[in-house]
Amino acid sequence: MSGSHPLLLPPLSLYIHIPWCVQKCPYCDFNSHAQPDVIPEQAYIARLIDDLEADLHYVQDRSLTSIFIGGGTPSLFSAEGIAKLLAQVKARIPFAEDIEITLEANPGTFETERFSGFVDAGVNRLSIGVQSLQAHQLQRLGRIHDPIQAKTAAHHAAKIPLHSFNLDLMHGLPDQTLTSAMGDLDGIIALSPPHISWYQLTIEPNTLFASKPPVLPDDDTLWAIYEQGHQRLAAAGYEQYEVSAYGKPGHRGRHNINYWQFGDYLGIGCGAHGKITRPEEQDIIRTEKVKHPRGYLDLTRDMTFKRWTVTESDRTFEYFMNRLRLLEPVPKHEFSERTGLSIGVAERALERAIVGGYLDDQGTTWQTTAQGRLYLNHVLTELLETD
């Protein structure tokens, strides 16, 4: 198999990983570490800038359309530190005029008091990890905030000059009933955030929940939660545009959309991943940075742990794995522009998905059907088995 279409440069985003948390949650499989007595904020920011410098050749004359500062708990950093970091990034890569700059935050009082400072630093979107509005569930999830702090954080985010903010909410929690799940969701909707990420708890390997699994709701309850929850979100004016993302008009999360549209992104910080298109070489590469803070901060080490070329056989699967998360139609021309491959490489697999009732061929686009959205993993399995 060989590429038969020139790769075009997609939009470029930046992901910045800050690895420290107050404590590790039992469901979390992200690269996070319990904070030391003193977080080495200045040393880490300096290392982030060195990391960015080493990746500047991947920018290829593009502006940044979005920045996402994730973790860990980035709101443990000072507003002054975030301001310095963003200024250093802007000095090296131009920002798009309407750039979206998101910072993940927890609803604890300590972080909430810093919200206005983060806005002054250049952040224009917050993503607040509420997860539940029930005290007993927050305790089981290892969260260190309470329902009152969660509501206070949302009220404060609504009052400061942000472009948008997101509230994260989980469902399918241990022993959760339909009634309690809807109570959580109704409570989040009542806070009227511009964006809600509403997603099911999954048990990931190498987590405390994996070693000591809690009792989760059965499939019938999970389906009822999803069905009724989707109806309530739609009735409240939230549009589902991705598997677990709901936004009011004008408030879709641009950074994640770039991931799902198979755009490019630089990844700096502990364990951060990047994806870069190289038109001159006609290839796509991925990068992964050193995971542990101790190794990342070691000035004698290369911060890039791994760099590899995405094989042509993997490009098809990775493209559709991301693209089909969005509920919007997929332009057929985009596949070749983003992968450098002829659509012929996936033709039989796509036909199987169409015949199976998972995809509609709409002429210039493909669209997942209602059945395809419910059984997305099955669709992806079909596409993985390319001929």
Side-chain angles (χ1 to χ4, degrees):
M1 185 196 308
S2 61
S4 59
H5 189 285
L7 276 166
L8 302 182
L9 271 179
L12 180 67
S13 296
L14 172 66
Y15 175 74
I16 303 172
H17 192 76
I18 295 177
W20 292 286
C21 283
V22 174
Q23 65 182 30
K24 183 85 170 179
C25 297
Y27 60 85
C28 178
D29 68 337
F30 294 123
N31 183 33
S32 59
H33 303 264
Q35 69 181 69
D37 291 337
V38 178
I39 294 176
E41 179 175 313
Q42 294 306 314
Y44 191 75
I45 290 172
R47 199 66 168 146
L48 285 171
I49 299 308
D50 290 343
D51 195 352
L52 183 65
E53 287 272 5
D55 283 356
L56 284 179
H57 58 290
Y58 296 141
V59 174
Q60 302 171 93
D61 297 320
R62 288 176 286 183
S63 299
L64 288 176
T65 61
S66 66
I67 297 173
F68 194 100
I69 307 172
T73 306
S75 51
L76 292 176
F77 270 33
S78 69
E80 293 78 13
I82 297 298
K84 177 181 177 181
L85 174 60
L86 291 175
Q88 291 291 324
V89 173
K90 190 173 185 179
R92 289 162 175 79
I93 309 175
F95 286 8
E97 186 175 343
D98 59 347
I99 188 171
E100 174 193 272
I101 303 177
T102 302
L103 182 135
E104 283 187 333
N106 280 339
T109 302
F110 174 74
E111 290 95 339
T112 302
E113 289 173 349
R114 299 182 173 207
F115 283 5
S116 296
F118 293 137
V119 172
D120 292 340
V123 171
N124 56 26
R125 184 175 184 270
L126 289 172
S127 184
I128 304 169
V130 172
Q131 312 311 358
S132 177
L133 290 174
Q134 299 172 37
H136 73 284
Q137 290 289 13
L138 289 171
Q139 290 172 1
R140 296 183 76 170
L141 292 171
R143 308 299 289 175
I144 61 172
H145 65 273
D146 60 35
I148 292 175
Q149 288 175 317
K151 294 174 183 178
T152 299
H155 290 313
H156 189 54
K159 292 177 182 176
I160 57 179
L162 287 163
H163 167 67
S164 189
F165 69 93
N166 166 67
L167 298 182
D168 274 351
L169 179 69
M170 285 181 165
H171 61 86
L173 302 180
D175 300 311
Q176 190 174 50
T177 63
L178 172 62
T179 300
S180 65
M182 292 303 97
D184 254 358
L185 184 57
D186 287 342
I188 290 293
I189 290 172
L191 294 170
S192 196
H195 190 280
I196 297 173
S197 294
W198 188 57
Y199 55 96
Q200 183 181 328
L201 170 65
T202 55
I203 305 300
E204 301 292 348
N206 303 314
T207 64
L208 184 58
F209 273 179
S211 61
K212 297 180 180 180
V215 177
L216 301 181
D218 59 34
D219 288 344
D220 288 343
T221 301
L222 290 172
W223 172 246
I225 289 171
Y226 173 79
E227 191 172 44
Q228 290 196 26
H230 178 70
Q231 292 172 358
R232 293 188 189 206
L233 284 159
Y238 291 93
E239 177 190 27
Q240 183 186 23
Y241 64 95
E242 186 267 342
V243 172
S244 58
Y246 298 77
K248 291 188 174 179
H251 290 281
R252 294 183 175 191
R254 192 180 311 160
H255 187 86
N256 282 349
I257 285 179
N258 190 45
Y259 289 157
W260 299 322
Q261 291 180 341
F262 213 51
D264 279 357
Y265 49 95
L266 300 173
I268 62 173
C270 294
H273 287 250
K275 177 232 168 212
I276 298 296
T277 301
R278 302 192 301 179
E280 287 192 11
E281 293 84 354
Q282 282 297 293
D283 66 10
I284 296 171
I285 66 167
R286 290 194 177 274
T287 60
E288 180 182 347
K289 303 304 169 63
V290 172
K291 290 185 71 172
H292 199 280
R294 184 165 50 249
Y296 186 81
L297 289 167
D298 184 348
L299 298 180
T300 68
R301 290 188 60 175
D302 187 338
M303 288 163 288
T304 299
F305 171 69
K306 190 163 53 173
R307 181 185 295 107
W308 69 99
T309 301
V310 181
T311 65
E312 292 182 345
S313 60
D314 283 343
R315 289 185 207 171
T316 297
F317 179 70
E318 290 191 13
Y319 172 82
F320 283 110
M321 179 180 68
N322 286 282
R323 199 59 174 84
L324 294 181
R325 288 185 64 95
L326 289 171
L327 273 58
E328 66 187 25
V330 181
K332 291 184 177 180
H333 65 83
E334 186 188 83
F335 173 82
S336 295
E337 293 170 358
R338 298 285 166 98
T339 66
L341 303 173
S342 165
I343 193 56
V345 303
E347 195 167 26
R348 292 185 185 179
L350 288 165
E351 185 59 31
R352 287 195 296 268
I354 291 166
V355 170
Y358 303 110
L359 278 182
D360 279 336
D361 186 333
Q362 299 180 332
T364 60
T365 62
W366 300 289
Q367 174 71 67
T368 51
T369 63
Q371 182 180 3
R373 290 192 286 275
L374 287 175
Y375 298 100
L376 185 56
N377 286 340
H378 184 81
V379 180
L380 295 173
T381 300
E382 294 278 8
L383 292 165
L384 185 60
E385 297 172 358
T386 52
D387 300 278

